[in-house]
Amino acid sequence: MTANDTTMDAGFRREVAGWLNEHLTGRFEPLRFRGGPGDGDAFPDLRKEWERELAVGRWSCIGWPEEYGGRGLPVPLQIAFHEEYARAGGPGRLGHIGEGLIGPTLMAFGTERQKQRYLPPIVAGREFWAQGYSEPGAGSDLAGLKTRARRDPSTGQWRVTGQKVWTSLAHVSDWIFVLARSEEGSVGREGLSFLLMPLHQPGIEIRPIRQINGGEEFNEVFFEGAVAEAEDIVGKPGDGWAVAMALLGFERGISTLGQQMTFAHELDLVVEIARENGSLRQPAIRRRIAQSWAGLRAMRYNAARMLSGFGKADLAREALGYKYYWSHWHRDLGKLAADVLGVEADVVTGDPRRERLQQLFLFSRADTIYGGTSEIQLNIIAERGLGMPKEPRGKA
Amino acid sequence: MNLDLTSEQEMIREAAVGFLTERAGPAALRRAAEAGSGYDRALWDAIGRELGWCALAVPEEYGGMAMGAFDMALLAERMGQALLASPFFATVCLAAPLLVHAGTAGAKETYLPAIAAGELEATVGLSALGGVWWPDAGAVAAGVTARPDGAGFRLDGRLPHVPDGATAGLILVPARIEGGGIGVFAVTPAASGLTVRPLKTIDVSRPLADIRLDGVAVGAEALVSDPALVAAGLARALDEAALALAAEQVGVAQGALDGTLAYIAERVQFGRAIASFQAIKHRCAELMVRIEVARSAVMGAARLAASGEDPQAAALEISAARALATDAAFLAAQEAIQLHGGVGFTWEYDPHLYFKRAQASGAWLGGADDHLDRIAAVVCPA
């Protein structure tokens, strides 16, 4: 009911859909529509195998240049891929942090050795990455981070001590990139370094965090003299902030544009349940569904405008507000789903469709927090989009 | 879908911004409101006869430029932003599409070249300006009856809110024809039995008139609609008008926000510009998001409508755009008053001009809830 396709490349879409139809079956069948946000800890082993299946079909890292093992596909085709993937119910990508974040960062800032060592296993779906940014005392204000890295003069190794938090999928990952304070006494954005570290080592302890939906997708990661090899620093010591921010810029929302297909599925499911349980007869529910539909269409066209703007230097206004809009739209959809379920929203039934809506209701609460809270988004929109005065900063 | 502007479209937009910034805007609106007609005659002449904007939506064979809904939306947005008081909307966005989509060849030849040249002010007398045209387009004709009388017709009924009805030289009246069907009739203000009463409106940018038809006798040639096209044509014309109105509302919202940003950057309290307070920054940022999303919806709907490929799908997208733009316009205007503080409540400052236009336009051609109901009827039939 919701999305008609942008007319990018129907043949490519058929190829993607055909491959998924053929491969997302058999032992991979249970993965359909699983492992998305809030469900990230579902079937980790099988999803790793699925990543390898994608790699064999050359569907991993499709936007990467060919010299690094990708297909070098242009943005519109990448989006088409993400949409077809979501449409087919492709599971949440365990390889996302490697493919979307650290891979492009290494291509831009990494040494030749780092590229040769780390990029091929990402393409092949053999090594998985976690992101070590946030800390208990450094959330929205990331520059307040305290985790320290000290160089061992005898070996050149870095020794890392401190704590990271909200580390998605650390418990099923192999490597973590860590932003740490490498200069004694430095504050703010100065004196930080960007390090690559194996997660399975004696100085690292991973403790899962149980979320409001009962799942355990995030972790606390404790570092106690954990080791990063001398050659595993990205950029120079002290350049960590620039590398860390560049990493956040690489993704540019390409995969989140594909998520609109997932949103459309969720809205369809809300309508389906509302029809079954009779709440669709309520005018207020119908209007909220229509409002949701209108917002989804608007997001789609907003994405089309953003695409037109890709390649331009500054993020345009429509791109600045995108995260804020989709996260609130999705949170509203979660509330609508719960209201449509009524009393049943509270009851654990084991019915997978109802469970999906319950998960939507609970996990969409995270949407307006992770990846920059709504409050931080509004600051950025006001300052960069409207040229309003910057927030005053307290003394560090 | 490609939402890039062509260089020609960029030119239209730039020209519109330049011209409207100079000639329209809140101060010009205040002057126009004090003039008898409610609009600036010279400004209208410049738009129609010098800039040629009235020709945009008219097919080339009738002296137009056939630019379509997307270009119209770009222009309408700028007009809303400038709070333009002009017969443009009634003539070009309402009457012209009705002739284009529902008119007979003869009617098009008679009226469209004059509209394109900026020489004819026209409007449409809908039975209810706030009414809807779905699921049955005949609803907008319910207020007027056309009784066959000799070779012609006699028209009876009332059109309580006709945009620019007191100044238009041509009033297109959708009516129910006794004995079956609906038709659109061309009526001139001088017709005997026609009473036109200008209404005093709170939104001074949008003059309305109350029109009564008491046995208005018209000839057969006054029936300007093609019976085969009239139902679908009426619906499509009103959808296009609703789209232009949505685009205007995005402009109204943008104008209200821009004026607010300028004010709060200057206004100092507690030793700092009030724009530096987070409570204010966040509200402006929220407005920017709502405006951009509504603008995206308008652009997408306009692209689809301009393609002419799927009028039914386009109709739903137009409703989505209308619902989002209506809310964005009102919210932006409401915040303009609030963020201006005390002066936002005065006649002297401009926020009330946006506020009144946002509310008035929001009620035209179906309110936000009507458009949501239309979407619901299709995407979640009970």
Side-chain angles (χ1 to χ4, degrees), chain A residues 1 6 275 286-287 290-291 293 297-298 301-302 304-305 308 317 324-325 375 378-379 383 386 388-389 391, chain B residues 1 3-4 254 275 278 281-282 284-286 288 292-293 296 300 317 369 372-373 375-376 379-382:
Chain A
M1 95 190 183
T6 49
R275 182 170 290 117
R286 297 170 56 75
R287 276 198 185 146
Q291 187 89 48
W293 185 89
R297 295 310 296 166
Y301 291 127
N302 209 73
R305 285 175 68 199
S308 309
R317 285 179 158 204
Y324 180 82
Y325 190 80
E375 289 67 32
L378 291 175
N379 281 352
E383 291 168 17
L386 298 175
M388 298 178 81
E391 284 303 298
Chain B
M1 173 169 293
L3 293 181
D4 273 336
Q254 189 68 59
Q278 201 176 42
K281 286 168 68 179
H282 281 192
C284 292
E286 171 93 39
M288 189 191 104
E292 291 306 326
V293 166
S296 295
E317 308 246 328
D369 284 343
L372 291 179
D373 288 344
I375 292 168
V379 303
C380 54

Side-chain angles (χ1 to χ4, degrees), chain A residues 12-345:
Chain A
F12 176 76
R13 284 179 183 276
R14 275 196 300 278
E15 186 191 343
V16 176
W19 188 89
L20 288 166
N21 192 39
E22 206 172 296
H23 292 261
L24 193 52
T25 53
R27 68 199 177 106
F28 293 123
E29 184 69 40
L31 295 184
R32 278 189 190 256
F33 295 105
R34 296 302 304 270
D39 189 32
D41 52 345
F43 303 106
D45 294 333
L46 190 56
R47 276 162 66 211
K48 286 184 181 178
E49 287 179 46
W50 170 247
E51 291 288 330
R52 288 188 274 278
E53 186 81 5
L54 283 171
V56 170
R58 294 201 63 227
W59 293 114
S60 65
C61 305
I62 53 171
W64 286 20
E66 292 179 28
E67 60 173 310
Y68 297 122
R71 291 194 184 199
L73 293 183
V75 168
L77 290 188
Q78 292 178 51
I79 290 174
F81 171 80
H82 287 297
E83 288 184 347
E84 292 305 322
Y85 188 84
R87 194 201 303 273
R93 293 287 312 278
L94 276 181
H96 168 68
I97 295 175
E99 173 174 337
L101 298 178
I102 190 64
T105 304
L106 292 178
M107 286 176 220
F109 297 97
T111 62
E112 213 39 52
R113 191 206 76 89
Q114 287 168 348
K115 292 181 203 173
Q116 285 177 13
R117 165 62 187 81
Y118 296 112
L119 296 182
I122 291 173
V123 177
R126 288 198 313 270
E127 283 181 356
F128 298 92
W129 285 79
Q131 171 174 343
Y133 276 16
S134 294
E135 297 183 6
S140 293
D141 182 14
L142 179 61
L145 63 86
K146 292 198 166 55
T147 294
R148 351 171 331 154
R150 291 293 175 269
R151 199 186 329 230
D152 182 332
S154 58
T155 61
Q157 286 177 328
W158 294 89
R159 292 278 175 175
V160 176
T161 298
Q163 183 193 347
K164 295 293 177 181
V165 72
W166 314 122
T167 315
S168 300
L169 302 171
H171 57 306
V172 295
S173 297
D174 307 293
W175 287 83
I176 184 168
F177 51 89
V178 172
L179 190 60
R181 198 161 289 291
S182 55
E183 274 173 38
E184 188 80 48
S186 66
V187 292
R189 303 168 180 192
E190 309 295 325
L192 302 173
S193 291
F194 192 102
L195 301 170
L196 311 176
M197 306 178 70
L199 273 165
H200 303 291
Q201 59 165 302
I204 291 184
E205 186 192 346
I206 299 168
R207 292 184 203 156
I209 299 171
R210 194 161 193 213
Q211 302 152 195
I212 63 171
N213 63 334
E216 294 178 349
E217 175 174 346
F218 300 126
N219 299 273
E220 297 175 288
V221 181
F222 295 88
F223 299 82
E224 190 58 58
V227 173
E229 296 300 335
E231 63 265 32
D232 282 335
I233 183 168
V234 183
K236 295 194 186 72
D239 287 349
W241 184 261
V243 176
M245 290 302 109
L247 176 141
L248 294 179
F250 281 121
E251 215 254 348
R252 302 198 82 176
I254 289 173
S255 70
T256 60
L257 298 183
Q259 78 186 352
Q260 289 182 14
M261 199 61 68
T262 308
F263 292 169
H265 269 298
E266 290 170 344
L267 179 55
D268 284 344
L269 185 55
V270 169
V271 173
E272 196 177 299
I273 300 280
R275 182 170 290 117
E276 285 171 21
N277 73 10
S279 58
L280 197 57
R281 287 195 295 272
Q282 296 172 28
I285 290 287
R286 297 170 56 75
R287 276 198 185 146
R288 285 167 70 189
I289 289 170
Q291 187 89 48
S292 187
W293 185 89
L296 190 58
R297 295 310 296 166
M299 277 194 273
R300 180 153 194 87
Y301 291 127
N302 209 73
R305 285 175 68 199
M306 285 163 67
L307 267 182
S308 309
F310 274 126
K312 291 178 190 162
D314 295 320
L315 273 184
R317 285 179 158 204
E318 66 273 10
L320 273 176
Y322 183 65
K323 198 269 169 170
Y324 180 82
Y325 190 80
W326 78 249
S327 59
H328 285 259
W329 178 92
H330 199 225
R331 207 171 72 171
D332 290 346
L333 180 66
K335 177 71 165 84
L336 174 59
D339 290 346
V340 160
L341 286 172
V343 174
E344 267 201 320

